[in-house]
Amino acid sequence: MKKKMVFFVLFLLLSTIAYADDSWFLKSLDADISLKISTTLRIFPKAPNFDVNYISANFTFFPKQDYRQQIAEINYWPQPEFKDDERIIFKWYRPEGNNVSFDVGTLVKTKNDRFRMPSKVKFPLTEIPKDVQIYTKPSNFIDSDNKEIIRLASGLAEGEDDLFVVAHKLATWTNENINYSLTTMTADASQTSSWVLENRIGVCDEMTNLFIGMARSLGIPARFVSGISYTNSKLFKQPWGPHGWAEVYFPGYGWVPFDPTYGQYGFVDASHIKLKESLDSKGSSTDYEWLGRDVVIVAEKLNYDTRLVRTGLDDPGYVFITLKSRYNEVAIGSYDLIEADVENLNNFYIAEELFLSKVEDMEILGSYHKNVLLKPFEKKTVFWIVRVNPGLSHGYLYTFPLSITTHTVQEAKSSFKSSGQGSFHDLQEIKNLVTKGPQKVYSPDIEIDCSPDKSSYYIEQQPVLGCRLKNTGNKQLDSLKVCAGKYCQTTSLGLNQEAKLLFALDALQLGPNYIKITTANNDVSKSASAWVLVEDRPSLDIEDLKYPEAVDYDAGFNISFNLVRNSSSFPQNATVYANYKDQVLVYQLREFTGSRPVQLQFPEADFLKRDNPMKLRLVYYDKEGKQYAHEQDFNVKIANINPWIMLKIFWRQIFG
């Protein structure tokens, strides 16, 4: 039998980045990169006698020190008026000509360094520092409160208890399901996370927006990083250009890089230069200010002059790979299973992208590249299902060379054969050979907190009970039945999501009412309680009024009465006014809890006639500020009237 060897092997890597032979940025452990950022501000007069007093540029878009990049040199032109680690301020006074310019030149030493994380960070997160919590909230272009984003992220994270595993699944989904596209809509104007999910296209900004949006929806802090990176993709005219990726906060460790565009998780390659970190993908890199008359200042786009100065040693790799096929010789048109055994050689987490070579007449079902996450010293097997072209001649023996490469261009090789006499295996048989990953551990849990919207209600009012529910477990909670007494509602909660439910309660008793709240579905059951206080309107009366029927002229006298509360609720700010002519005696009670005897003393009668009608006016309020008033009249006569008293009364009536 004649043998025909097939050696046509195409190494087609990640669609968003073509690696080909120019892979220094993937292989190098470190690099020295020269970066000069510059721009020009154009001065456009609006009138012949225009004037420019000054122009100022507050520049923040330059390399910063962090654990994987060091600033070896930095120089400026012109000399800045102010500079610190976060900003550089250039200022031009009375500029001449029709433009001004500035540039910032740096020599940056970068490292292709994996973040050392030796132990698991538990998910969901329970404690996040206050200054980091803002990175769990929605922002302008990262709408992490979108329902579809919440649903997708919850489904991906469900059953996981390891933060690195969750972040890896979100990044991998983004990389595999969002098509990198330089359409005008995405290249020139950043789109929101929800737009990217709906349209399934985007550039690095959009892919990062979606990844961050999913992370934040799960309560995972994530921020946007703007910088420079290298690519040899034919999509770009220049290999160096602006790039966006993410950093995820791991409690106890700090901010860890994740680049869903490049498929780099827990690290970024040596070409990545960080310039700025921000809450959102669209933040200002430079703020301009000027003082002048009849003039407009227009800033050109930033120009990046990036050059590789030096590359370091090649990365020796972090994993050990062996490659084999399940069957050494299969029939023409048969399926086979390609298995890559991958072992983490380190005591920290490693995420590695594996690329299976494309071979003529061998179809790869699904993606040819797969990203695998390995815990410290963990071993895993990664599978590809392939099929031999059924149109090949049955009279030949074909050899299919196999090759697996990684980001660091590690390589493992193997091969399998196919002929008319080989064993045939259908697709379902091969699928049954693929072993599933570790069993997920579901920990459904929910927080429930209920309270009335007011401290108390009056009997004619309808109490409203508000309940806040939060999914604090790692499983989606669907069809949750929430009941407050006999009143029930149904809701669903994704991971880390909250719901606020309102219950209008009827037929409650006077006094404190105990309300039991329950929430349950097939996965979780929890109860809580709340007290709702119902009161009657306050009622306060004057009882047992005692006063002298007659008093001597000019003599003082007393009146007494009881203030009696006839309600369960307490009146507020009760005040009694005793009125006669222009005299007013006031008795005030700020707090009133029960019956109280009251005595008022008039220093002298000062009456002007025999019968002298008087009035008691009681005023009080309820908790809502509503006023109540009661009045009671009584009459006091002058006793022992004689001519002298009559003369005094007459005299006062005439002369006052």
Side-chain angles (χ1 to χ4, degrees), residues 319-321 340-344 354 372 374 378-380 382:
V319 297
F320 179 74
I321 307 170
D341 294 324
V342 191
E343 179 182 0
N344 183 359
L354 305 179
V372 57
L374 299 167
E378 184 181 15
K379 296 180 181 179
K380 281 185 179 179
V382 182

Side-chain angles (χ1 to χ4, degrees), residues 29-94:
L29 284 170
D30 61 275
D32 292 353
I33 303 169
S34 170
L35 171 62
K36 183 169 78 170
I37 306 174
S38 61
T39 191
T40 298
L41 286 76
R42 302 292 181 183
I43 302 172
F44 293 97
K46 297 173 66 177
N49 60 341
F50 78 96
D51 178 65
V52 181
N53 188 288
Y54 71 82
I55 301 173
S56 176
N58 185 358
F59 185 58
T60 59
F61 210 59
F62 59 93
K64 316 292 194 304
Q65 299 270 135
D66 76 357
Y67 82 96
R68 58 164 298 278
Q69 71 180 34
Q70 301 295 318
I71 313 306
E73 296 178 13
I74 185 166
N75 50 73
Y76 322 90
W77 186 88
Q79 281 299 309
E81 186 170 272
F82 174 85
K83 62 180 184 294
D84 61 15
D85 293 338
E86 298 298 324
R87 59 180 178 151
I88 303 169
I89 298 178
F90 297 97
K91 205 160 189 178
W92 299 265
Y93 295 95
R94 297 291 180 185

Side-chain angles (χ1 to χ4, degrees), residues 5 29 75 84 87 159 284 290 296 339 378 496 508 511 636 643:
M5 304 297 289
L29 284 170
N75 50 73
D84 61 15
R87 59 180 178 151
S284 174
W290 65 88
V296 174
E339 304 175 29
E378 184 181 15
N496 189 58
L508 299 184
V636 178

Side-chain angles (χ1 to χ4, degrees), residues 389-434:
N389 183 357
L392 293 178
S393 172
H394 286 243
Y396 291 88
L397 174 66
Y398 300 88
T399 298
F400 292 88
L402 302 172
S403 175
I404 289 285
T405 56
T406 70
H407 265 136
T408 54
V409 202
Q410 289 178 267
E411 189 173 26
K413 295 183 177 182
S414 184
S415 65
F416 73 96
K417 295 179 173 59
S418 180
S419 70
Q421 288 74 41
S423 58
F424 183 85
H425 308 278
D426 63 26
L427 179 59
Q428 190 58 50
E429 177 189 348
I430 297 298
K431 284 184 176 180
N432 292 338
L433 296 175
V434 178

Side-chain angles (χ1 to χ4, degrees), residues 24 42 66 71 94 98 106 126 144 215 230 272 358 441 468 509 524 575 648 655:
W24 67 265
R42 302 292 181 183
D66 76 357
I71 313 306
R94 297 291 180 185
N98 58 5
T106 54
T126 56
S144 53
Y230 183 91
H272 284 60
K358 292 184 177 180
V441 179
R468 183 190 68 87
Q509 304 292 324
V524 69
T575 305
K648 291 178 68 175
F655 298 103

Side-chain angles (χ1 to χ4, degrees), residues 534-554:
V534 177
E535 299 178 307
D536 53 2
R537 292 285 181 176
S539 177
L540 191 59
D541 288 324
I542 297 173
E543 296 183 1
D544 300 325
L545 174 62
K546 296 178 180 178
Y547 57 92
E549 293 186 1
V551 297
D552 291 334
Y553 184 77
D554 286 344

